[in-house]
Amino acid sequence: MAKYLDQPEEKEMSFLDHLEELRWHLIRSVIAILVFSIVAFISVDFVFNTVIFGPARTDFWTFKVLCQLAEIVNTPALCIDTLDFKIQSRQMTGQFTMHITSSFVIGLIVAFPYVFWEFWRFISPGLHMTEKSISRGAVFSVTVLFTMGVMFGYFIMSPLAVSFLAGYQVSDLVNNEFDITSYISTLSSLVLGSGLLFQLPIVVYFLSKLGIVTPTMMRHYRKHAVVVILILGAVFTPPDPLSQILIALPLFGLYQFSIFISAGVHRRAARKAKKEELKYKDS
């Protein structure tokens, strides 16, 4: 008893105190985003020629792998060795605006783990012990899934979407000359959208812990989930069928994986409930 009496009581914060705490978390998050954005803005040559315009060149890593695969399986059609399109800036402020926008997007992507960590630091003190126990490792899991989603969006979806849209023509009279605003917006939506959509297992894990989602329910609504996944793909990716299919396939795989996660959560909950019941009977 003395051990607990010696511990200082947690100071209860007022509404204004919470707002002040939130303000500092937001300020630190914005500073982190701005720092990485400034670094990206200064590194203009690397950011544009290597990162942003990488998926628009045939020497990009994905295209090299596809050409190697084409040789192995003897299917030349897999090798993408030409990208027949041009990128233009049709507005006077187009390049400068996209320089700022792309720097901010890169800053947001790089700083995302830290931003989420700040968000988690703000909400975690208000969680009960049970809620804290079920959310252990949340920052690490969210960061890993977000990184996987960003990598998938950049190395898989972006080059294949660029190749598809660059080669798509309704007539030989129409040349594909994309505005830099359209190109960077498309690339950003693919990368960021993939990073956010890959958080599905985390969402299912927490909903299963709260008893809102069950594996039986997820299996029952699997067909409905396919429709929802296609809708999400249409919302977070450019309006072309290839991009929607490319994001829908891993999302459906993540949905299947989430069923196993939900089942594991409920098995552990059932074992715990059984132990509690046996303990109650023995007492």
Side-chain angles (χ1 to χ4, degrees):
M1 179 65 71
K3 179 179 68 174
Y4 295 102
L5 293 175
D6 291 340
Q7 291 179 353
E9 292 184 2
E10 292 185 5
K11 185 179 178 181
E12 191 171 330
M13 297 176 65
S14 66
F15 178 72
L16 292 178
D17 291 332
H18 281 292
L19 286 180
E20 179 67 13
E21 187 73 16
L22 176 61
R23 184 172 75 91
W24 282 108
H25 284 294
L26 291 175
I27 288 174
R28 287 191 291 268
S29 298
V30 171
I31 290 174
I33 295 172
L34 287 177
V35 167
F36 286 114
S37 298
I38 291 171
V39 172
F41 187 87
I42 295 173
S43 310
V44 57
D45 182 63
F46 172 77
V47 166
F48 275 87
N49 292 328
T50 303
V51 178
I52 294 178
F53 292 137
R57 296 199 307 264
T58 55
D59 61 349
F60 190 61
W61 177 84
T62 307
F63 297 133
K64 288 182 178 179
V65 172
L66 285 175
C67 287
Q68 292 173 359
L69 181 62
E71 292 181 3
I72 295 173
V73 299
N74 195 23
T75 308
L78 286 176
C79 183
I80 301 172
D81 52 5
T82 56
L83 293 172
D84 190 15
F85 73 99
K86 294 181 179 179
I87 298 176
Q88 298 182 350
S89 178
R90 295 184 176 88
Q91 299 177 358
M92 186 173 293
T93 59
Q95 294 195 54
F96 178 69
T97 302
M98 284 301 100
H99 188 186
I100 294 176
T101 303
S102 58
S103 299
F104 175 76
V105 172
I106 291 174
L108 178 61
I109 291 174
V110 177
F112 178 83
Y114 177 79
V115 172
F116 183 79
W117 180 67
E118 285 287 351
F119 169 75
W120 190 252
R121 285 179 62 200
F122 174 70
I123 66 170
S124 59
L127 299 178
H128 297 293
M129 290 303 297
T130 305
E131 294 170 333
K132 287 183 179 180
S133 65
I134 68 174
S135 58
R136 192 178 294 113
V139 175
F140 175 76
S141 301
V142 167
T143 300
V144 169
L145 287 172
F146 181 78
T147 303
M148 289 174 59
V150 166
M151 299 292 282
F152 178 82
Y154 180 72
F155 285 103
I156 304 299
M157 291 189 62
S158 295
L160 295 182
V162 167
S163 174
F164 172 77
L165 296 173
Y168 190 86
Q169 284 184 300
V170 293
S171 171
D172 292 337
L173 299 176
V174 182
N175 294 324
N176 284 327
E177 298 179 354
F178 306 136
D179 190 82
I180 188 173
T181 304
S182 175
Y183 175 83
I184 292 180
S185 298
T186 301
L187 195 69
S188 300
S189 63
L190 286 171
V191 174
L192 271 176
S194 296
L196 294 175
L197 290 174
F198 267 57
Q199 302 302 315
L200 178 62
I202 296 294
V203 175
V204 171
Y205 174 78
F206 281 105
L207 292 178
S208 298
K209 280 287 189 179
L210 295 172
I212 299 174
V213 171
T214 65
T216 303
M217 183 181 71
M218 293 186 69
R219 294 188 188 99
H220 179 73
Y221 289 103
R222 186 184 279 114
K223 293 180 181 179
H224 302 79
V226 173
V227 177
V228 174
I229 286 172
L230 291 174
I231 293 173
L232 289 174
V235 171
F236 285 95
T237 61
D240 67 273
L242 180 63
S243 298
Q244 295 175 16
I245 293 172
L246 285 175
I247 192 63
L249 290 175
L251 275 181
F252 186 72
L254 287 172
Y255 183 85
Q256 293 294 115
F257 178 64
S258 299
I259 293 177
F260 292 111
I261 291 177
S262 181
V265 169
H266 280 80
R267 278 196 301 269
R268 286 193 294 270
R271 285 197 298 265
K272 185 177 179 181
K274 190 173 182 179
K275 287 181 180 178
E276 292 289 338
E277 184 180 352
L278 292 173
K279 186 185 295 183
Y280 176 78
K281 288 181 179 178
D282 292 338
S283 62

